[in-house]
Amino acid sequence: MGVLDEIVAHKREELERLRADTPQAQLEAACRGRAPSLPFEAALRASGPGTVRLIAEVKKASPSRGTLNAALDPVAQARLYATSGAAAISVLTDQKYFRGALDDLVAVRAAVDVPLLRKEFILEEYQLWESRAAGADAVLLDDLALRDLHHAAKGIGLATLVEVHTVPELERALTLGAPVIGVNNRDLHTLETSLEPSLALLPRIPSAHTAVSESGIFTREDVQRVVSAGAQAVLVGEGLVRAQDVPAKVRELALLDTGGPAQRRPRG
Protein backbone atom coordinates (compact mmCIF):
# COMPACT_ATOMS: atom_id res chain seq x y z
CA MET A 1 0.00 0.00 0.00
CA GLY A 2 1.37 3.41 -0.99
CA VAL A 3 1.30 6.50 1.24
CA LEU A 4 -1.76 7.95 -0.51
CA ASP A 5 -3.68 4.67 -0.20
CA GLU A 6 -2.80 4.54 3.49
CA ILE A 7 -3.99 8.11 4.02
CA VAL A 8 -7.29 7.50 2.20
CA ALA A 9 -7.96 4.29 4.18
CA HIS A 10 -7.32 6.10 7.44
CA LYS A 11 -9.51 9.01 6.36
CA ARG A 12 -12.45 6.70 5.68
CA GLU A 13 -12.13 5.21 9.17
CA GLU A 14 -11.90 8.71 10.63
CA LEU A 15 -15.06 9.76 8.79
CA GLU A 16 -17.04 6.93 10.37
CA ARG A 17 -16.13 8.23 13.82
CA LEU A 18 -16.86 11.84 12.90
CA ARG A 19 -20.32 11.04 11.56
CA ALA A 20 -21.13 9.15 14.75
CA ASP A 21 -20.12 12.16 16.86
CA THR A 22 -21.62 14.90 14.66
CA PRO A 23 -24.39 13.90 12.24
CA GLN A 24 -24.48 15.66 8.87
CA ALA A 25 -27.84 17.24 9.71
CA GLN A 26 -26.17 19.07 12.59
CA LEU A 27 -23.52 20.46 10.23
CA GLU A 28 -26.15 21.52 7.71
CA ALA A 29 -27.98 23.41 10.43
CA ALA A 30 -24.75 25.18 11.45
CA CYS A 31 -24.16 26.26 7.84
CA ARG A 32 -27.52 27.99 7.56
CA GLY A 33 -26.36 30.76 9.85
CA ARG A 34 -23.08 31.49 8.12
CA ALA A 35 -22.41 34.55 6.02
CA PRO A 36 -21.83 33.96 2.28
CA SER A 37 -18.43 32.59 1.33
CA LEU A 38 -15.67 35.02 0.38
CA PRO A 39 -14.87 35.04 -3.37
CA PHE A 40 -12.02 32.52 -3.67
CA GLU A 41 -11.93 32.35 -7.47
CA ALA A 42 -11.94 36.13 -7.91
CA ALA A 43 -9.12 36.49 -5.37
CA LEU A 44 -6.89 34.27 -7.51
CA ARG A 45 -7.28 36.06 -10.83
CA ALA A 46 -3.98 37.74 -11.63
CA SER A 47 -4.30 41.45 -12.35
CA GLY A 48 -2.22 41.43 -15.52
CA PRO A 49 0.71 39.89 -17.39
CA GLY A 50 3.58 38.88 -15.16
CA THR A 51 1.56 39.12 -11.94
CA VAL A 52 0.52 36.28 -9.66
CA ARG A 53 -1.68 35.63 -6.66
CA LEU A 54 -0.36 33.71 -3.67
CA ILE A 55 -2.25 31.05 -1.70
CA ALA A 56 -0.18 30.87 1.47
CA GLU A 57 -0.48 27.63 3.41
CA VAL A 58 -0.60 26.98 7.13
CA LYS A 59 1.21 23.66 7.38
CA LYS A 60 3.00 22.15 10.37
CA ALA A 61 4.19 18.88 8.83
CA SER A 62 3.89 16.56 5.85
CA PRO A 63 4.38 12.83 5.19
CA SER A 64 7.33 13.53 2.89
CA ARG A 65 9.21 16.14 4.94
CA GLY A 66 8.18 15.40 8.53
CA THR A 67 7.79 18.32 10.91
CA LEU A 68 8.29 21.62 9.11
CA ASN A 69 7.74 24.03 11.99
CA ALA A 70 6.94 22.50 15.38
CA ALA A 71 6.30 25.93 16.93
CA LEU A 72 3.91 27.12 14.23
CA ASP A 73 0.96 29.13 15.52
CA PRO A 74 -1.71 28.83 12.80
CA VAL A 75 -3.44 32.10 13.68
CA ALA A 76 -0.26 34.16 13.95
CA GLN A 77 1.03 32.68 10.69
CA ALA A 78 -2.23 33.36 8.89
CA ARG A 79 -2.27 36.97 10.09
CA LEU A 80 1.26 37.45 8.76
CA TYR A 81 0.18 36.02 5.41
CA ALA A 82 -2.90 38.23 5.18
CA THR A 83 -1.15 41.46 6.14
CA SER A 84 1.82 40.77 3.86
CA GLY A 85 -0.14 40.36 0.64
CA ALA A 86 -1.40 36.77 0.33
CA ALA A 87 -4.58 36.59 -1.76
CA ALA A 88 -5.91 33.51 0.04
CA ILE A 89 -4.85 31.14 2.81
CA SER A 90 -4.81 27.35 2.75
CA VAL A 91 -5.20 25.53 6.07
CA LEU A 92 -4.16 21.88 6.44
CA THR A 93 -6.70 20.12 8.68
CA ASP A 94 -5.50 16.50 8.57
CA GLN A 95 -4.23 15.56 12.02
CA LYS A 96 -2.38 12.25 11.58
CA TYR A 97 -0.19 13.07 8.59
CA PHE A 98 0.00 16.89 8.64
CA ARG A 99 -0.50 17.72 12.34
CA GLY A 100 -3.39 20.00 11.48
CA ALA A 101 -6.91 20.24 12.88
CA LEU A 102 -10.31 21.52 11.86
CA ASP A 103 -10.06 23.84 14.87
CA ASP A 104 -7.09 25.52 13.14
CA LEU A 105 -9.42 26.49 10.30
CA VAL A 106 -12.04 27.81 12.73
CA ALA A 107 -9.43 29.91 14.53
CA VAL A 108 -7.91 31.27 11.31
CA ARG A 109 -11.37 32.18 9.99
CA ALA A 110 -11.94 34.32 13.08
CA ALA A 111 -8.59 36.09 12.59
CA VAL A 112 -8.40 37.01 8.88
CA ASP A 113 -10.68 38.35 6.18
CA VAL A 114 -9.19 36.72 3.07
CA PRO A 115 -10.66 33.61 1.43
CA LEU A 116 -9.78 30.31 3.11
CA LEU A 117 -9.10 27.00 1.39
CA ARG A 118 -9.51 23.86 3.44
CA LYS A 119 -6.67 21.49 2.46
CA GLU A 120 -7.88 18.01 3.27
CA PHE A 121 -8.49 14.63 1.67
CA ILE A 122 -12.12 15.26 0.73
CA LEU A 123 -13.84 11.95 0.01
CA GLU A 124 -17.49 12.51 0.91
CA GLU A 125 -20.16 15.22 0.98
CA TYR A 126 -20.08 15.12 4.78
CA GLN A 127 -16.68 16.82 4.67
CA LEU A 128 -18.03 19.62 2.51
CA TRP A 129 -20.64 20.51 5.12
CA GLU A 130 -17.95 20.18 7.79
CA SER A 131 -15.72 22.58 5.82
CA ARG A 132 -18.43 25.19 5.35
CA ALA A 133 -19.47 25.01 9.00
CA ALA A 134 -15.85 25.62 10.04
CA GLY A 135 -15.59 28.73 7.86
CA ALA A 136 -13.93 27.51 4.66
CA ASP A 137 -14.66 29.39 1.45
CA ALA A 138 -13.18 26.67 -0.78
CA VAL A 139 -12.01 23.08 -0.65
CA LEU A 140 -9.36 21.09 -2.47
CA LEU A 141 -10.72 18.25 -4.64
CA ASP A 142 -8.81 15.67 -6.62
CA ASP A 143 -9.79 12.95 -9.05
CA LEU A 144 -11.53 10.81 -6.42
CA ALA A 145 -15.32 11.13 -6.83
CA LEU A 146 -14.66 14.48 -8.48
CA ARG A 147 -17.89 15.09 -10.35
CA ASP A 148 -20.31 14.44 -7.49
CA LEU A 149 -18.28 16.40 -4.96
CA HIS A 150 -17.71 19.34 -7.30
CA HIS A 151 -21.44 19.83 -7.86
CA ALA A 152 -22.23 19.26 -4.17
CA ALA A 153 -19.66 21.87 -3.11
CA LYS A 154 -21.22 24.48 -5.37
CA GLY A 155 -24.64 23.80 -3.87
CA ILE A 156 -23.25 24.20 -0.36
CA GLY A 157 -21.63 27.52 -1.24
CA LEU A 158 -18.02 26.37 -1.49
CA ALA A 159 -15.60 27.12 -4.29
CA THR A 160 -13.25 24.36 -5.38
CA LEU A 161 -9.61 24.02 -6.31
CA VAL A 162 -9.55 20.92 -8.52
CA GLU A 163 -6.11 19.34 -8.37
CA VAL A 164 -4.59 17.44 -11.29
CA HIS A 165 -1.35 15.55 -11.86
CA THR A 166 -1.71 14.14 -15.39
CA VAL A 167 -3.16 15.03 -18.78
CA PRO A 168 -6.19 12.66 -18.34
CA GLU A 169 -6.97 14.24 -14.97
CA LEU A 170 -6.69 17.71 -16.49
CA GLU A 171 -9.04 16.73 -19.30
CA ARG A 172 -11.61 15.50 -16.78
CA ALA A 173 -11.35 18.76 -14.82
CA LEU A 174 -11.83 20.79 -18.01
CA THR A 175 -14.80 18.68 -19.08
CA LEU A 176 -16.33 19.26 -15.66
CA GLY A 177 -15.89 23.01 -16.14
CA ALA A 178 -13.87 23.48 -12.94
CA PRO A 179 -13.20 27.23 -12.64
CA VAL A 180 -9.95 26.84 -10.66
CA ILE A 181 -7.51 24.08 -11.61
CA GLY A 182 -4.32 23.38 -9.70
CA VAL A 183 -1.36 21.39 -11.02
CA ASN A 184 0.27 19.47 -8.18
CA ASN A 185 4.03 19.34 -8.62
CA ARG A 186 4.40 16.46 -6.15
CA ASP A 187 4.71 12.89 -7.44
CA LEU A 188 2.19 10.96 -5.33
CA HIS A 189 4.27 7.78 -5.54
CA THR A 190 7.72 9.12 -4.63
CA LEU A 191 6.48 12.28 -2.84
CA GLU A 192 9.25 14.23 -4.58
CA THR A 193 8.53 17.62 -6.16
CA SER A 194 9.49 19.07 -9.53
CA LEU A 195 8.12 22.02 -11.47
CA GLU A 196 7.93 19.87 -14.60
CA PRO A 197 4.22 18.94 -14.13
CA SER A 198 3.31 22.63 -14.07
CA LEU A 199 5.51 23.45 -17.02
CA ALA A 200 3.85 20.66 -19.00
CA LEU A 201 0.21 21.08 -17.96
CA LEU A 202 -0.31 24.79 -17.31
CA PRO A 203 -0.10 25.75 -21.01
CA ARG A 204 -2.97 23.30 -21.66
CA ILE A 205 -5.37 25.17 -19.34
CA PRO A 206 -7.54 27.66 -21.25
CA SER A 207 -7.60 31.24 -20.00
CA ALA A 208 -11.26 30.90 -19.01
CA HIS A 209 -10.01 28.85 -16.04
CA THR A 210 -7.78 30.06 -13.23
CA ALA A 211 -4.57 28.03 -13.29
CA VAL A 212 -2.67 27.37 -10.06
CA SER A 213 0.75 25.77 -9.54
CA GLU A 214 1.04 23.85 -6.26
CA SER A 215 4.01 22.54 -4.26
CA GLY A 216 7.74 22.64 -4.86
CA ILE A 217 7.84 26.44 -5.07
CA PHE A 218 10.51 28.10 -2.93
CA THR A 219 11.95 31.11 -4.76
CA ARG A 220 10.97 34.05 -6.91
CA GLU A 221 12.58 32.25 -9.83
CA ASP A 222 10.32 29.22 -9.27
CA VAL A 223 7.29 31.52 -9.38
CA GLN A 224 8.50 33.20 -12.55
CA ARG A 225 8.90 29.84 -14.28
CA VAL A 226 5.34 28.71 -13.57
CA VAL A 227 3.87 32.14 -14.33
CA SER A 228 5.63 32.05 -17.69
CA ALA A 229 3.92 28.68 -18.30
CA GLY A 230 0.48 30.12 -17.50
CA ALA A 231 -0.05 30.13 -13.73
CA GLN A 232 -2.22 32.91 -12.35
CA ALA A 233 -1.68 31.76 -8.78
CA VAL A 234 0.72 29.64 -6.75
CA LEU A 235 0.14 27.63 -3.58
CA VAL A 236 3.12 27.55 -1.22
CA GLY A 237 3.45 25.83 2.15
CA GLU A 238 6.92 24.65 3.15
CA GLY A 239 8.74 27.63 1.67
CA LEU A 240 6.68 29.96 3.87
CA VAL A 241 6.42 28.05 7.16
CA ARG A 242 10.20 27.59 7.20
CA ALA A 243 10.99 31.18 6.23
CA GLN A 244 12.92 33.30 8.72
CA ASP A 245 11.18 36.46 7.48
CA VAL A 246 7.62 35.47 6.55
CA PRO A 247 6.43 38.88 5.28
CA ALA A 248 9.49 39.18 3.01
CA LYS A 249 8.93 35.66 1.68
CA VAL A 250 5.28 36.40 0.97
CA ARG A 251 6.25 39.50 -0.98
CA GLU A 252 8.90 37.55 -2.90
CA LEU A 253 6.59 34.67 -3.86
CA ALA A 254 3.68 36.99 -4.69
CA LEU A 255 6.07 38.98 -6.93
CA LEU A 256 5.40 42.05 -4.81
CA ASP A 257 9.09 42.84 -4.28
CA THR A 258 11.28 44.86 -6.64
CA GLY A 259 12.51 42.08 -8.90
CA GLY A 260 10.34 43.06 -11.88
CA PRO A 261 7.50 41.13 -13.50
CA ALA A 262 7.61 37.70 -15.04
CA GLN A 263 6.25 37.18 -18.54
CA ARG A 264 3.27 34.88 -18.85
CA ARG A 265 2.84 32.72 -21.92
CA PRO A 266 -0.60 33.24 -23.52
CA ARG A 267 -2.99 30.36 -22.85
CA GLY A 268 -5.74 29.14 -25.11
Side-chain angles (χ1 to χ4, degrees):
M1 178 184 291
V3 174
L4 181 60
D5 294 328
E6 178 186 327
I7 291 173
V8 169
H10 175 267
K11 191 60 58 178
R12 293 196 186 281
E13 294 176 0
E14 183 181 272
L15 279 168
E16 290 184 12
R17 297 192 298 271
L18 289 170
R19 278 194 298 267
D21 291 340
T22 308
Q24 182 169 310
Q26 185 174 329
L27 295 174
E28 292 179 19
C31 290
R32 294 189 194 107
R34 295 206 65 90
S37 298
L38 296 177
F40 178 73
E41 180 186 354
L44 301 188
R45 298 292 291 187
S47 59
T51 63
V52 72
R53 300 299 191 189
L54 173 66
I55 308 171
E57 190 158 86
V58 175
K59 180 178 183 178
K60 295 180 182 178
S62 76
S64 61
R65 308 290 278 183
T67 299
L68 301 174
N69 185 342
L72 185 74
D73 179 333
V75 170
Q77 190 81 1
R79 282 179 173 147
L80 277 179
Y81 291 161
T83 57
S84 302
I89 295 172
S90 169
V91 181
L92 258 299
T93 62
D94 176 80
Q95 194 280 325
K96 182 174 181 179
Y97 298 93
F98 292 87
R99 294 186 58 189
L102 194 62
D103 284 346
D104 291 345
L105 179 63
V106 174
V108 170
R109 172 74 292 157
V112 302
D113 59 1
V114 300
L116 297 185
L117 171 72
R118 183 189 183 190
K119 190 85 167 288
E120 179 59 273
F121 298 93
I122 302 291
L123 305 175
E124 300 179 13
E125 183 178 329
Y126 177 91
Q127 293 166 286
L128 300 178
W129 289 105
E130 184 184 53
S131 303
R132 186 73 188 98
D137 303 294
V139 292
L140 181 81
L141 297 180
D142 62 17
D143 215 40
L144 296 170
L146 175 59
R147 181 176 297 276
D148 290 343
L149 290 176
H150 181 266
H151 290 306
K154 185 176 181 180
I156 292 168
L158 290 166
T160 56
L161 171 56
V162 175
E163 185 174 89
V164 303
H165 307 80
T166 64
V167 171
E169 290 181 3
L170 174 56
E171 290 175 347
R172 285 192 285 273
L174 292 173
T175 298
L176 188 65
V180 183
I181 298 176
V183 178
N184 190 339
N185 296 313
R186 187 176 302 281
D187 185 307
L188 296 184
H189 300 289
T190 66
L191 300 182
E192 295 300 317
T193 58
S194 164
L195 296 184
E196 293 308 314
S198 279
L199 301 181
L201 295 181
L202 288 171
R204 294 173 174 261
I205 302 176
S207 58
H209 304 259
T210 300
V212 183
S213 181
E214 309 171 40
S215 299
I217 296 170
F218 296 93
T219 66
R220 177 185 176 84
E221 290 70 28
D222 291 338
V223 177
Q224 289 178 312
R225 290 184 70 194
V226 298
V227 168
S228 295
Q232 292 208 37
V234 293
L235 189 154
V236 182
E238 182 180 349
L240 286 168
V241 298
R242 284 185 159 171
Q244 294 297 310
D245 186 336
V246 174
K249 200 65 178 177
V250 168
R251 292 192 297 271
E252 175 190 344
L253 298 178
L255 303 183
L256 299 175
D257 57 13
T258 58
Q263 295 301 310
R264 181 184 292 110
R265 178 186 306 169
R267 295 186 284 126

